[in-house]
Amino acid sequence: MNKRPSRREEILQALAKMLETQPGTRITTAKLAAEVGVSEAALYRHFPSKAKMFEGLIEFVEDAVFSRVSMILNEEAQALAQIAKILQLLLTFTERNPGITRIFNGDALAGENERLRGRVVQFYDRLETQLKQILREAEIREGLRTRITANSTANILIAAAEGRIGQFVRSDFKRLPTDNWDEQWQLLSETIFR
């Protein structure tokens, strides 16, 4: 049985689609209302502002990514495998959700509420903190030591993933974040631990 999405979900799906299909274009509430097939007033019955619509998409990403990160941590015992799967998750998620990826690249937030950029920064900081924790626990549980500090190692890993995501957005979603990632991960993974 196909359950029809709620109006709120329809609005968020339409916003994500518009972000994907109209890169470089500012999404107005009038355009979004037309896309959903409702009035602007109807949009505002579900979201008090456009910023709240973007926040809805950010919350969706946070829930989807961090619930899966928790599963990875429970399923995988080795640090290197945990890190590999978390980075693969991030790249695959962005590849499958190009419109939302424009938010996490910052591209879609130009001219929007500063609080939204803060939420995106917080997302990446939280992911980086998770990688730091894995690296620190690897020393205790697996006797593995990073070549540089755990902080710097986690930072360069996140920077590599963010770079792939940035290329994806700049190429108008043609240069997939996962293209050649296995080979690149192999090189990166060989430099993490001593």
Side-chain angles (χ1 to χ4, degrees):
M1 179 167 118
N2 283 341
K3 185 179 154 194
R4 180 185 153 101
S6 70
R7 180 67 73 191
R8 182 178 169 82
E9 290 169 340
E10 280 183 55
I11 293 166
L12 293 178
Q13 288 170 0
L15 177 57
K17 179 183 172 203
M18 290 176 74
L19 288 168
E20 178 181 351
T21 59
Q22 301 174 24
T25 305
R26 185 167 167 80
I27 308 295
T28 64
T29 53
K31 289 180 188 176
L32 181 58
E35 180 77 20
V36 178
V38 298
S39 67
E40 283 185 75
L43 289 180
Y44 289 117
R45 279 195 287 277
H46 298 281
F47 294 95
S49 67
K50 188 167 70 164
K52 289 291 185 187
M53 294 175 207
F54 279 112
E55 278 188 32
L57 289 176
I58 291 169
E59 287 169 11
F60 164 74
V61 174
E62 289 171 341
D63 292 346
V65 169
F66 288 109
S67 66
R68 185 68 185 117
V69 165
S70 293
M71 290 171 61
I72 290 168
L73 296 175
N74 289 329
E75 293 167 0
E76 281 297 335
Q78 295 185 325
L80 208 52
Q82 289 174 337
I83 294 167
K85 287 189 174 186
I86 289 169
L87 293 176
Q88 183 71 45
L89 165 69
L90 178 61
L91 296 176
T92 302
F93 184 89
T94 57
E95 187 173 303
R96 291 181 182 164
N97 297 281
I100 294 173
T101 299
R102 286 191 54 221
I103 295 171
F104 281 81
N105 176 257
D107 178 60
L109 298 179
E112 297 298 337
N113 188 309
E114 185 62 36
R115 183 179 77 247
L116 296 172
R117 280 187 285 288
R119 288 284 304 268
V120 171
V121 168
Q122 183 180 12
F123 170 84
Y124 282 112
D125 286 350
R126 184 175 168 196
L127 204 53
E128 188 173 333
T129 298
Q130 185 64 67
L131 295 181
K132 288 178 203 174
Q133 182 178 342
I134 292 168
L135 293 166
R136 289 185 182 119
E137 288 176 6
E139 186 172 355
I140 297 165
R141 290 185 302 151
E142 299 175 53
L144 298 173
R145 293 202 51 181
T146 55
R147 289 180 187 235
I148 57 178
T149 65
N151 288 356
S152 292
T153 303
N155 180 260
I156 200 162
L157 292 171
I158 289 293
E162 280 190 82
R164 297 303 313 232
I165 293 165
Q167 289 174 336
F168 182 50
V169 173
R170 283 192 310 275
S171 71
D172 287 332
F173 312 123
K174 292 174 187 70
R175 195 168 187 183
L176 302 178
T178 58
D179 281 352
N180 304 311
W181 176 250
D182 290 338
E183 184 179 22
Q184 292 169 355
W185 169 248
Q186 184 64 42
L187 178 66
L188 280 172
S189 67
E190 290 170 3
T191 65
I192 294 175
F193 296 110
R194 296 179 185 178

